[in-house]
Each structure stands twice: as structure tokens, then as C-alpha cells.
Amino acid sequence: YLNSEATPKGPFVPTKEDYQKVYDEIATKLANETDYDDGSYGPVLVRLAWHASGTYDKETGTGGSNGATMRFAPRHARDFLEPIKAKFPWITYSDLWTLAGAAAIQELGGPTIPWRPGREDKDVAACTPDGRLPDASKDQRHIRDVFGRMGFDDREMVALCGAHALGRAHTDRSGFEGPWDFSPTVFTNEFFRLLVEEKWNQRKWNGPTQFTDKTTSTLMMLPTDIALVKDRSFKQHVERYAKDSDAFFKEFSDAFVKLLELGVPFQSKPEDRFVFKTSE
Ligand code: HIF
């Protein structure tokens, strides 16, 4: 790719500063556009980054964010990022989607998510078969199948699940409804605290099986979320993260960095990752 900043010697090679500019643009747009859901597009960007990455299969080495081959990229997230892609045409979609997820977590008060570029966009032939993303109506065996296929252990699976502190479910998308906690635009360990401290009853409604908190009946847990406290091995990490926010932030960051890098044939080393500056 050649642009105006290209030197006569060769193509434009973006530096950390160039990627920080993309980060800053995402952060500014997140701060300015508060008309969505609970006031932030951040959660939907986190979900985009995870869905782009979560098709990875460690046995075959297929799937993952490299390629931007996700067939059902959610419209809200794509629309949000399209002007940023237009402004920085040198970034690949797969780098942009994952960078946006990392940026959203940092901007919503979460841990830093060190990130590095190197994903290429591929055509539709590289798409993975459908059905690699998890089904929220299932139990702990399914969580272990899906995240085990990506190469995660129990501790990492539970840490990742803390991202459900962000955002909400929508009846017109998944069929489920509601937020997981009272601050769905702030990254916290509330998901774990509520799982442990609240009593969760099955919601009486016509929709799919989901759970609601006894105290306010306004919150939601998916069957896969409740599975985390039904399973003894998972539960010990839920209890630990409910008590220790720092441990959660640290272990979540490590697991999320790993998620965003699955299947990417980087030329760079892990120590070359960029740590972006969060906005003021
Ligand atoms: Fe989610 N997830 N997720 N998820 N997810 C939903 C929404 C979000 C699962 C199911 C759902 C992860 C794992 C799993 C986010 C981030 C992550 C919804 C609701 C469902 C059903 C969608 C809708 O109706 O809009 C299942 C079964 C998972 C495996 C256990 C990750 C760890 C928690 C990997 C992850 O990072 C985010 C953020 C949202 C909120 C999106 C929004 O629009 O607000």
C-alpha cells in the first residue's frame, strides 16, 4: 500500500505512532457518539473483536482474526469503524477490528491490552465453517469444548467471561435480553461479584432460558454464565475474581491478548506489542 507519506524508497510502513492515531480516533469516536444502547459502542466493539478471533481451531490452525473472514460482522460495529478505515486505509480490517476491541476495553476502564499488527485480510474462501462460536443455551462442557479448541485452560476461560460485565443481550439479535450488571459501559469485576453474591432465578417469560437476579429482576445471566458457578473448577476462579479485581484485570488482559492473536502468523515478537495510551 502506498500513500502520501510513502517515501520514494518504498511503501508506507506504519509505526506505533500511526497505530496510536487509529486508537485515538476510536477513543474520540467512542466519547462523542453516546446515542447507542447504554451510551457506548464499546461493548459491541469488544464483541466484534472476540467474534473475529473466536473461530480459531488449534488442531487445524484455521480460523482466528487473521483474514477478517467473519461472515456476520455485526452491523453496528462495522458502521462505527467504517469511517476509521476510510481515514486510515492502510490498516487491514482484521487489525482494525482487534485494535478496536483492545481500545474499547481500555477506554471503558479495563486493563491495558497490549496489541500488535500483522493480520491480513483474506477473501471469503478462507471463511471457517459456521458453528465455531459458542451457544449460550449450553453448559460447562460446551464452554470447555469451544475454548479448549482455541487452546485456553479453565482459568483463562473464566477470566475471559468477565467481559460480560460489558453490554447487554438484545431480543432481536440473540433472543436473550438485558445487561449483566448495573454499569454495562464500565469494565469491572461486577460480573463475578454478582454471580457469587446474587441469587439467580430462571426468568419466567416466553424467550429462551435465561436467569434474573432476585433483588431487582433487571439483570441477566445466560445459561453459559451460570455454568461458571455450577462447575467446581470454574467456580474457584469466579470466587477469586469476585474478591480480587486486580487479579481479574491482569489475568483477563493476558487471556484477551491471547484471544486476539490466535492463528495470526506474526513476523514480530510478543515483546514488540504496543501498549496504547488511554485517552484522558
Ligand atoms: Fe458474549 N454474548 N458470549 N462474550 N458478549 C453476548 C454479548 C456480548 C456468549 C454469548 C453472548 C464472550 C463469550 C461468550 C461480549 C463479549 C464476550 C450475547 C448477547 C450472547 C448471547 C448478544 C446480543 O443479543 O446482542 C457465549 C455463549 C460466550 C461463551 C461463554 C467473551 C467472554 C465473555 C469471549 C467475550 O469477550 C460482549 C461485550 C457482549 C455485549 C454486546 C453488546 O451489544 O452489548
Side-chain angles (χ1 to χ4, degrees):
Y1 175 77
L2 289 159
N3 77 353
S4 55
E5 283 160 278
T7 63
K9 288 201 195 88
F12 169 56
V13 180
T15 63
K16 182 189 170 186
E17 282 64 44
D18 294 301
Y19 287 104
Q20 179 74 54
K21 282 182 197 155
V22 180
Y23 178 106
D24 292 346
E25 192 77 15
I26 294 167
T28 303
K29 204 166 150 67
L30 276 176
N32 291 343
E33 295 185 19
T34 56
D35 57 327
Y36 179 74
D37 262 8
D38 302 287
S40 174
Y41 280 89
V44 96
L45 296 182
V46 174
R47 193 162 196 241
L48 173 67
W50 129 241
H51 279 189
S53 309
T55 55
Y56 184 67
D57 173 16
K58 70 174 194 278
E59 300 303 328
T60 58
T62 57
S65 63
N66 193 41
T69 51
M70 196 176 27
R71 277 181 265 187
F72 305 111
R75 185 175 57 82
H76 305 278
R78 296 281 318 242
D79 289 354
F80 182 91
L81 292 173
E82 210 50 50
I84 296 179
K85 170 74 176 161
K87 188 159 177 182
F88 304 99
W90 47 264
I91 194 169
T92 61
Y93 276 106
S94 33
D95 275 343
L96 178 61
W97 291 352
T98 51
L99 195 166
I105 287 167
Q106 291 190 199
E107 293 299 309
L108 298 177
T112 53
I113 306 293
W115 177 93
R116 53 184 163 147
R119 298 162 192 78
E120 284 169 11
D121 294 341
K122 295 183 195 155
D123 67 28
V124 78
C127 283
T128 56
D130 286 346
R132 285 193 182 180
L133 290 169
D135 174 349
S137 69
K138 299 227 163 115
D139 65 9
Q140 51 269 40
R141 280 170 307 194
H142 180 65
I143 298 177
R144 282 202 180 89
D145 282 350
V146 170
F147 286 90
R149 188 205 63 219
M150 292 180 237
F152 291 106
D153 63 21
D154 282 7
R155 184 181 61 84
E156 294 170 310
M157 293 178 202
V158 178
L160 282 175
C161 285
H164 277 167
L166 298 175
R168 58 170 61 239
H170 307 77
T171 45
D172 60 332
R173 295 185 206 164
S174 61
F176 300 97
E177 183 185 35
W180 286 267
D181 65 33
F182 298 106
S183 54
T185 63
V186 189
F187 192 96
T188 63
N189 66 340
E190 277 294 281
F191 171 82
F192 298 113
R193 194 190 62 78
L194 287 159
L195 256 184
V196 172
E197 291 182 11
E198 202 33 86
K199 187 168 185 321
W200 295 92
N201 297 320
Q202 199 171 319
R203 177 171 170 184
K204 295 185 183 67
W205 74 324
N206 289 328
T209 300
Q210 66 174 57
F211 297 82
T212 192
D213 66 304
K214 185 163 183 263
T215 309
T216 70
S217 304
T218 55
L219 302 178
M220 187 266 324
M221 288 285 170
L222 302 166
T224 43
D225 299 316
I226 295 295
L228 299 177
V229 282
K230 285 199 183 144
D231 183 274
R232 275 176 62 190
S233 167
F234 283 154
K235 192 178 179 191
Q236 56 173 0
H237 298 293
V238 173
E239 288 174 335
R240 195 163 55 82
Y241 296 145
K243 278 193 228 120
D244 188 346
S245 170
D246 291 347
F248 166 53
F249 271 42
K250 168 78 182 68
E251 292 172 37
F252 174 82
S253 174
D254 291 345
F256 204 75
V257 168
K258 176 169 164 179
L259 176 68
L260 299 191
E261 296 194 346
L262 294 174
V264 185
F266 290 107
Q267 306 291 315
S268 60
K269 298 187 204 65
E271 53 269 33
D272 299 328
R273 290 186 188 116
F274 303 147
V275 175
F276 294 116
K277 207 171 157 291
T278 304
S279 69
E280 298 295 301

